[in-house]
């Protein structure tokens, strides 16, 4: 048992990062493509965190009602969804409004300077 994982690193990596993290990435992307604010994705991650705890419990013998590991899983999922939301929003702003904005990084944009 560790601070971040209960049943082992590889179980945490596969279930929380790969499986649930993929769902978090797609959720953050979907929220951004709907032009909704980030906190919508964060609310969905609360439910996904509970589903992730259930998978840990049902398949790998983890505890179902552990508040500590639920919070850890949910924070990881919120972070992944946040990165996906910002990345997708940057792509949307700089591609759809190419005349007004230019991309400064994978996660940011700025107004184009008028010449």
């Amino acid at each position: 048992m560790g601070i971040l994982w209960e049943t082992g690193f590889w179980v945490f990596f596969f279930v929380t990062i790969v499986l649930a993290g993929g769902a978090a990435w797609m959720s953050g992307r979907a929220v951004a493509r709907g032009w909704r604010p980030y906190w919508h994705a964060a609310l969905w991650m609360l439910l996904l965190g509970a589903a992730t705890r259930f998978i840990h419990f049902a398949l790998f013998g983890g505890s179902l009602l552990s508040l500590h590991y639920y919070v850890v899983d949910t924070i990881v999922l919120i972070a992944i969804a946040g990165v996906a939301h910002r990345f997708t929003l940057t792509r949307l702003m700089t591609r759809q409004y190419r005349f007004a904005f230019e991309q400064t990084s994978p996660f940011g944009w700025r107004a184009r300077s008028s010449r």
Side-chain angles (χ1 to χ4, degrees):
M1 292 178 70
I3 294 174
L4 296 179
W5 51 82
E6 178 179 21
T7 54
F9 170 75
W10 292 109
V11 173
F12 173 80
F13 179 78
F14 179 70
V15 173
T16 303
I17 305 293
V18 175
L19 291 179
W25 182 272
M26 290 187 294
S27 297
R29 186 172 177 258
V31 168
R33 290 182 60 86
W35 297 99
R36 292 186 207 108
Y38 167 70
W39 63 269
H40 284 228
L43 288 178
W44 286 111
M45 294 308 102
L46 297 174
L47 292 174
L48 187 58
T52 304
R53 286 307 318 150
F54 179 75
I55 292 172
H56 280 285
F57 166 74
L59 298 180
F60 300 104
S63 58
L64 179 62
L65 300 176
S66 169
L67 180 63
H68 172 78
Y69 293 115
Y70 168 75
V71 169
V72 168
D73 289 343
T74 304
I75 287 173
V76 168
L77 297 176
I78 287 173
I80 292 171
V83 168
H85 184 272
R86 187 63 183 191
F87 181 78
T88 304
L89 199 58
T90 299
R91 290 184 67 209
L92 287 173
M93 290 295 289
T94 58
R95 289 186 181 174
Q96 187 165 351
Y97 302 109
R98 188 172 299 164
F99 60 91
F101 299 106
E102 60 187 354
Q103 189 170 352
T104 58
S105 72
F107 304 105
W109 65 88
R110 67 174 174 222
R112 285 193 184 269
S113 58
S114 59
R115 294 181 188 184

